[in-house]
């Protein structure tokens, strides 16, 4: 266990050596957030309504989405593909370490660093902009939202890892990753709530894993779903985690056989 | 039981062939051509515990492939491998804790962080008890004369310093079997000899079984009594270095310094001229006749100085590979 804590610590030390890089990344995240914030502020007047969202709910969604993206999307495991194609994977195969846990620990380190900054920044934005924020007081929704976010972390990890495993078959690991990033940006609901789209579309989205990354946990936080819908959602997300885990394991084993057959 | 036992190991890679250019890329999407490449063909050898063996051979001979098979990175196509009684490709935890594989061209140190952080992480990965860790670290830093640099970020270290730290990181868990793939690659002469000393010392001190590959004959000559020579996937020699010379170079070199210029035809009667630049001459003479020839030379030529040397090992090996094509 201690080795994983050390890995988390190492990730922090690494991030602090690239301070400027990290600061610029945070700046980008915040600029994007502000754009979305002012856009929705302009679209929905103070007493207006957009779909099932009034101004307060929508702004809460946008700010909450920013925080949640930090929790769920921040990761390092995009490096899996490069490890495989450049052969660095060998260094880990010859050591008694679990390669999945190694990356998961790095992801956690990255998330923790990003979260601490995001909380600080959001507090600042809060004090400056004084948005009409919706605060959920019902502990049931809070706990359920936390569970959804927890499941989402794993969901994202396995999706991300799976993309990296492409490296076993093709050196072009970044092409599928870009497509993945675009899918995530649109389908995960980080930019807008998915239920402002036409209802038939959402009926499809309901069955995709992306929906459960950001949109669903936020929706639960806002208290806009019935308990039954929430439980159904959690079940769907959990099934996706299981499916993805099995796929990742299968693909990993296949890929590893290839890797240990060709060598790199 | 030998520490390493390899029987009839064959490794065939099937490599995907792509025609050059864009049309080649498109074609390869639909029909892929694979070419089978035999990297190792039916090789067998045993290595005893505590032995230090050198693997030599030209690029692409199969040295690294052999090490990868032994460390569990490659799945053998056929044949049996046993390392400390384990099947390497199963990569069992206990097996991994007993071995180390140092790849000269690959980093395990965290690039942005001081090597010490990697050492500490390895301590946890290998479950090294604190006291043993402290002792191993002290031993290794002393043997390699590494000082404070373990607290400098890796990216700021020179290649030699980094290689030393890589070695420390790989040896902290006191592996019983050590695979070194080109450990001296890219290092300057001083650093090369220091690293050699260290490897020899490590072998003696800890009784570790070591296999070393290198392009530099110097490495092997300085360290290994036994060498295995691989060429095009086959072992062409396995034995003591001195035997190699006897087998492939049944001649010695007689170097002379002459008092005055002598007819080349006269010198030629003693043996093959390897080098001539008056007053210096070097002759290749068959090992069994060397005594008689030397006496004759002393009698018949105006010799100022005479020296009998073994054949140059590097040259011998070049000859061996040359014959193999």
């Amino acid at each position: 266990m201690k080795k994983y804590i050390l890995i988390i610590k190492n990730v922090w030390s690494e991030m602090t050596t690239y301070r400027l890089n990290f600061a610029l990344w945070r700046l980008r995240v915040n600029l994007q957030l502000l754009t979305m914030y002012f856009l929705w502020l302009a679209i929905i007047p103070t007493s207006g309504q957009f779909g099932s969202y009034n101004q307060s709910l929508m702004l809460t969604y946008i700010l909450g989405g920013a925080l949640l993206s930090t929790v769920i999307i921040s990761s390092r495991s995009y490096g899996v593909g490069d490890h495989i194609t450049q052969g660095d994977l060998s260094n880990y195969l010859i050591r008694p370490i679990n390669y999945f846990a190694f990356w998961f620990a790095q992801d956690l380190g990255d998330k923790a660093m990003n979260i601490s900054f995001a909380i600080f920044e959001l507090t600042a934005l809060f004090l400056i902009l004084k948005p009409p924020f919706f605060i959920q007081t019902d502990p049931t929704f809070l706990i359920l939202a936390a569970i959804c976010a927890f499941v989402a972390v794993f969901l994202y990890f396995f999706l991300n890892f799976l993309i990296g495993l492409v490296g076993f078959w093709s050196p072009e690991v970044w092409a599928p990753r870009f497509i993945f990033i675009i899918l995530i940006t649109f389908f995960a609901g980080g930019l807008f709530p998915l239920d402002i789209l036409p209802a038939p579309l959402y009926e499809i989205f309901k069955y995709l894993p992306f929906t459960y990354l950001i949109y669903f946990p936020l929706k639960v936080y806002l208290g806009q779903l019935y308990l039954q819908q929430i439980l159904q959602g959690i079940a769907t997300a959990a099934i996706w985690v299981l499916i993805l885990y099995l796929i990742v394991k299968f693909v990993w084993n296949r890929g590893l056989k290839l890797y240990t057959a060709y060598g790199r | 039981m030998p520490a390493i036992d390899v029987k009839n190991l064959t490794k065939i890679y099937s490599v995907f062939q792509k025609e050059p250019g864009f049309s080649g890329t498109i074609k390869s999407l639909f029909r892929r051509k694979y070419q089978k490449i035999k990297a190792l063909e039916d090789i067998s050898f045993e290595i005893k515990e505590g032995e230090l063996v050198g693997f030599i051979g030209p690029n692409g001979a199969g040295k690294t492939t052999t090490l990868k098979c032994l460390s569990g990175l490659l799945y053998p196509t056929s044949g049996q491998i046993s390392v400390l009684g384990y099947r390497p490709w199963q990569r069992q935890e206990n097996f991994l804790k007993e071995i180390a594989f140092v790849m000269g061209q690959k980093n395990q140190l965290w690039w942005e962080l001081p090597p010490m952080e990697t050492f500490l992480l390895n301590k946890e990965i290998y479950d090294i008890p604190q006291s043993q860790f402290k002792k191993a670290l002290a031993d290794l830093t002393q043997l390699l004369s590494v000082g404070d640099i373990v607290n400098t970020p890796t990216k700021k270290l020179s290649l030699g310093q980094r290689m030393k730290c890589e070695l420390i990181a790989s040896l902290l868990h006191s592996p019983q079997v050590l695979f070194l793939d080109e450990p001296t690659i890219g290092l300057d002469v001083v650093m090369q000899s220091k690293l050699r000393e260290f490897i020899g010392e490590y072998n003696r001190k800890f009784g570790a079984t070591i296999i070393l590959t290198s392009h530099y004959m110097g490495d092997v000559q300085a360290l290994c009594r036994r060498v295995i020579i691989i060429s095009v996937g086959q072992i062409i020699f396995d034995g003591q270095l001195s035997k190699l010379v006897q087998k492939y170079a049944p001649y010695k070199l007689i170097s002379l310094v002459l008092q005055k210029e002598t007819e080349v035809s006269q010198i030629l009667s003693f043996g093959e001229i390897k080098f001539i630049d008056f007053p210096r001459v070097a002759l290749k003479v068959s090992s069994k006749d060397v005594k008689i020839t030397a006496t004759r030379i002393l009698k018949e030529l105006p010799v100022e100085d005479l020296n009998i040397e073994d054949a140059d090992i590097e040259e011998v090996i070049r000859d061996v590979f040359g014959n193999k094509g």
Side-chain angles (χ1 to χ4, degrees):
Chain A
M1 196 57 221
K2 206 177 155 202
K3 55 186 154 190
Y4 300 111
I5 294 170
L6 268 182
I7 292 170
I8 293 175
K9 210 193 92 207
N10 282 359
V11 169
W12 286 342
S13 318
E14 267 194 345
M15 288 174 100
T16 46
T17 48
Y18 281 122
R19 264 166 294 188
L20 181 67
N21 196 17
F22 185 68
L24 287 176
W25 158 249
R26 291 307 316 170
L27 182 70
R28 199 192 110 184
V29 169
N30 281 299
L31 282 179
Q32 202 176 347
L33 171 62
L34 285 178
T35 318
M36 295 307 300
Y37 180 86
F38 286 114
L39 180 71
W40 283 108
L41 196 65
I43 293 175
I44 313 177
T46 318
S47 55
Q49 189 85 12
F50 193 99
S52 60
Y53 296 86
N54 60 28
Q55 194 194 51
S56 157
L57 285 176
M58 184 56 91
L59 295 179
T60 307
Y61 184 95
I62 295 301
L63 289 176
L67 183 63
L68 212 54
S69 303
T70 301
V71 177
I72 288 153
I73 311 286
S74 291
S75 69
R76 293 220 145 188
S77 41
Y78 54 79
V80 172
D82 291 333
H83 254 195
I84 295 169
T85 51
Q86 285 161 22
D88 291 324
L89 175 61
S90 301
N91 259 330
Y92 299 87
L93 294 180
I94 54 163
R95 278 189 272 165
I97 187 168
N98 182 323
Y99 192 64
F100 292 79
F102 168 76
W103 281 110
F104 195 71
Q106 288 210 49
D107 277 5
L108 289 185
D110 194 274
K111 286 179 205 302
M113 182 69 108
N114 273 292
I115 290 168
S116 49
F117 272 79
I119 288 176
F120 174 74
E121 292 153 5
L122 285 176
T123 314
L125 283 183
F126 223 76
L127 295 176
I128 299 165
L129 301 172
K130 296 197 174 58
F133 201 68
F134 171 80
I135 291 170
Q136 180 59 263
T137 47
D138 186 340
T140 318
F141 285 120
L142 286 174
I143 292 168
L144 286 171
I147 293 173
C148 292
F150 183 77
V151 176
V153 167
F154 286 92
L155 199 54
Y156 185 78
F157 178 73
F158 287 125
L159 276 170
N160 207 21
F161 207 94
L162 191 60
I163 303 286
L165 294 183
V166 169
F168 281 126
W169 288 269
S170 162
E172 287 150 80
V173 284
W174 282 95
R177 181 157 302 283
F178 281 130
I179 296 173
F180 176 63
I181 291 171
I182 291 168
L183 281 177
I184 291 281
T185 327
F186 191 79
F187 290 112
L191 295 179
F192 56 85
L194 295 176
D195 57 351
I196 61 173
L197 295 170
L201 265 182
Y202 183 69
E203 277 305 305
I204 300 170
F205 285 3
K206 225 164 62 173
Y207 297 103
L208 298 179
F210 308 111
T211 315
Y212 298 91
L213 291 174
I214 293 170
Y215 167 77
F216 193 75
L218 275 177
K219 199 73 179 161
V220 173
Y221 171 84
L222 293 178
Q224 289 185 326
L225 298 172
Y226 297 113
L227 187 65
Q228 197 205 346
Q229 288 175 304
I230 297 175
L231 294 179
Q232 264 175 7
I234 293 177
T236 313
I239 289 169
W240 266 114
V241 170
L242 184 70
I243 291 172
L244 283 165
Y245 167 74
L246 292 174
I247 294 177
V248 164
K249 228 177 121 181
F250 175 75
V251 174
W252 166 257
N253 283 331
R254 287 291 294 268
L256 206 59
K257 213 165 251 171
L258 221 64
Y259 186 89
T260 57
Y262 298 160
R264 209 153 280 166
Chain B
M1 192 185 72
I4 297 170
D5 189 2
V6 175
K7 281 200 186 84
N8 311 106
L9 171 64
T10 296
K11 175 72 202 174
I12 298 168
Y13 294 115
S14 60
V15 181
F16 155 58
Q17 298 275 300
K18 189 178 93 66
E19 288 170 42
F22 181 68
S23 67
T25 309
I26 298 294
K27 264 189 210 165
S28 76
L29 281 177
F30 298 102
R31 208 177 49 210
R32 298 207 153 191
K33 276 191 212 153
Y34 287 93
Q35 196 187 2
K36 295 223 182 277
I37 293 176
K38 244 183 203 167
L40 294 174
E41 196 178 349
D42 195 25
I43 68 167
S44 304
F45 59 88
E46 279 183 12
I47 292 174
K48 286 197 289 287
E49 216 181 293
E51 247 189 308
L52 204 171
V53 178
F55 264 43
I56 38 187
N59 285 331
K63 301 185 300 276
T64 307
T65 303
T66 311
L67 289 195
K68 282 184 173 171
C69 285
L70 291 176
S71 62
L73 281 178
L74 285 181
Y75 191 89
T77 309
S78 69
Q80 269 111 48
I81 312 171
S82 153
V83 176
L84 299 171
Y86 294 97
R87 302 264 164 264
W89 50 267
Q90 291 176 337
R91 291 203 314 280
Q92 285 160 296
E93 189 163 320
N94 285 335
F95 166 71
L96 296 176
K97 281 184 176 176
E98 297 294 353
I99 66 154
F101 186 6
V102 180
M103 293 167 266
Q105 298 111 309
K106 282 207 179 89
N107 269 319
Q108 65 155 313
L109 299 171
W110 287 55
W111 189 246
E112 313 298 337
L113 306 178
M116 196 60 197
E117 303 290 340
T118 308
F119 300 165
L120 288 170
L121 182 58
N122 277 5
K123 172 179 178 279
E124 296 308 324
I125 290 176
Y126 287 101
D127 289 321
I128 309 169
Q130 177 68 18
S131 56
Q132 193 194 327
F133 174 77
K134 264 189 162 166
K135 188 171 177 310
L137 186 61
D139 279 353
L140 292 168
T141 44
Q142 201 228 332
L143 274 175
L144 283 166
S145 50
V146 173
D148 280 345
I149 58 161
V150 295
N151 295 314
T152 311
T154 304
K155 62 177 170 189
K156 290 187 182 152
L157 299 179
S158 73
L159 183 63
Q161 291 172 326
R162 218 165 67 214
M163 199 58 222
K164 284 175 166 182
C165 291
E166 287 282 344
L167 268 172
I168 295 178
S170 303
L171 297 178
L172 281 168
H173 62 289
S174 318
Q176 279 188 46
V177 175
L178 183 54
F179 305 113
L180 298 169
D181 193 17
E182 312 271 357
T184 56
I185 203 161
L187 299 182
D188 66 35
V189 191
V190 181
M191 202 59 95
Q192 274 182 26
S193 77
K194 267 196 186 156
L195 218 61
R196 273 175 209 155
E197 262 171 48
F198 167 76
I199 295 167
E201 185 75 27
Y202 187 85
N203 170 249
R204 281 189 294 276
K205 212 171 162 180
F206 300 99
T209 310
I210 301 180
I211 299 186
L212 168 103
T213 78
S214 185
H215 286 305
Y216 305 119
M217 263 322 289
D219 286 351
V220 178
Q221 236 174 322
L223 285 169
C224 314
R225 234 177 298 143
R226 175 179 167 197
V227 294
I228 294 178
I229 302 184
I230 304 186
S231 180
V232 238
Q234 280 173 315
I235 293 182
I236 54 175
F237 179 82
D238 178 357
Q240 291 184 359
L241 255 184
S242 52
K243 293 266 168 59
L244 171 76
V245 177
Q246 275 170 30
K247 184 174 175 191
Y248 288 98
Y251 61 85
K252 300 224 176 210
L253 288 179
I254 300 184
S255 7
L256 304 167
V257 180
L258 299 173
Q259 283 161 344
K260 58 177 200 279
E261 268 192 45
T262 315
E263 282 288 321
V264 176
S265 58
Q266 200 194 341
I267 301 173
L268 261 177
S269 67
F270 296 102
E272 188 187 330
I273 296 179
K274 240 203 101 206
F275 165 87
I276 189 160
D277 182 16
F278 279 115
R280 293 172 180 283
V281 180
L283 288 172
K284 238 170 153 178
V285 177
S286 142
S287 299
K288 52 182 200 295
D289 305 336
V290 75
K291 267 188 200 160
I292 306 162
T293 313
T295 328
R296 271 180 57 213
I297 290 175
L298 282 172
K299 251 189 250 163
E300 295 169 30
L301 291 178
V303 177
E304 167 103 38
D305 189 18
L306 181 145
N307 223 333
I308 303 175
E309 292 157 12
D310 277 333
D312 181 30
I313 191 94
E314 205 144 334
E315 195 178 336
V316 175
I317 287 173
R318 223 171 321 158
D319 283 351
V320 173
F321 294 142
N323 293 339
K324 267 267 161 182

